[in-house]
Structures are given as structure tokens and as C-alpha cells.
Amino acid sequence: GHQTANMTGVQVELPMVGEHLASAPPIFTSFWIGSSVCLAVTIGFAAATVFPILKQAYKIRELRSDVFLNHHAKLLVGIVNFFPFWALMNWLSLLIPRSARLCGLLAELYEMAALVMFHHLMVELLSRDTGSAKRALL
């Protein structure tokens, strides 16, 4: 099975989801319910933010007869989606202890990507001409 060392260096077997839910103290049920509500709210707010951005991006694409969506819109969607993704990874870590390290790693990687997207967006929005923005992003 999957083992990990605890603070004393002893190898301990991490439980599967069913075992974890069955053996957890009753107070953890309130944590799981509360975190599920928070996750749902975060996903709801992200969807309410992303859909208008995409709607506007599709209108701009049609007006310009472009094939792809506006680069700013793609960056905004990537940045906004960081929060629900991070919340989902932490919720899964709480629910499935075996996946905590993987979920933490994925959350950190997406955070890094979101910071890079934010940097690209700021450089593009603050630069006066596209040539200097492209040089700054290389």
C-alpha cells in the first residue's frame, strides 16, 4: 500500500476514501460539508465571472473574423480559474489523504501558471505598443 512517515519516522498506511470517511471523528463531517459548500460557491463565482468574459471574447472574435479567442480573454480565464482549481485541490486533499501531495503539487503548479499569466496580462495592458510587449515577454 501507500505509506508515509509521520513525525516520529514510523511508516503509517494512509487510508482510502471509504476508510477515511468511516474512521474520521464526527467533527470532520462538518469540515467536509463546510468545505464542499465553499468549493461550490467558489466554482459558482468563477463561472459567473468566466462566462461574461468568454461571451465578450466570442463577440470580439466574430467582429474581427479571427480564428482564435482574444489573448487577453484567455489570460483572464486562466487567472480566474486558479481559485476554483486551488479550492478543488485542497478539498480533494482533505477528502483523500493519499492524494494530498499530488493535489498540493498540482495546486502549486497552477498557481505558478496563473502568476505567469498575470504577468503577461500586466505587461500587455501596460505597454504602449505591441513590439515592446513582445520583447518584454520573451
Side-chain angles (χ1 to χ4, degrees), residues 27 47 54 104 112:
I27 189 71
L54 289 176
M112 178 197 62

Side-chain angles (χ1 to χ4, degrees), residues 14-112:
L14 290 175
M16 295 297 282
V17 178
E19 299 165 356
H20 185 52
L21 293 174
S23 66
I27 189 71
F28 282 141
T29 303
S30 62
F31 288 133
W32 288 319
I33 292 170
S35 64
S36 299
V37 169
C38 290
L39 176 64
V41 168
T42 304
I43 290 172
F45 277 125
T49 305
V50 165
F51 287 134
I53 292 170
L54 289 176
K55 185 177 178 182
Q56 187 66 25
Y58 282 115
K59 284 182 185 177
I60 291 171
R61 185 182 76 172
E62 288 177 16
L63 289 173
R64 294 181 181 172
S65 299
D66 288 341
V67 176
F68 300 110
L69 289 179
N70 185 348
H71 188 62
H72 296 295
K74 290 188 281 187
L75 291 173
L76 282 171
V77 168
I79 293 166
V80 170
N81 281 332
F82 162 69
F83 300 103
F85 184 80
W86 187 79
L88 176 65
M89 291 299 105
N90 284 299
W91 181 78
L92 287 173
S93 295
L94 182 64
L95 187 65
I96 311 166
R98 285 188 176 200
S99 69
R101 287 184 182 164
L102 176 63
C103 291
L105 175 65
L106 291 174
E108 292 292 325
L109 288 172
Y110 197 88
E111 181 180 2
M112 178 197 62

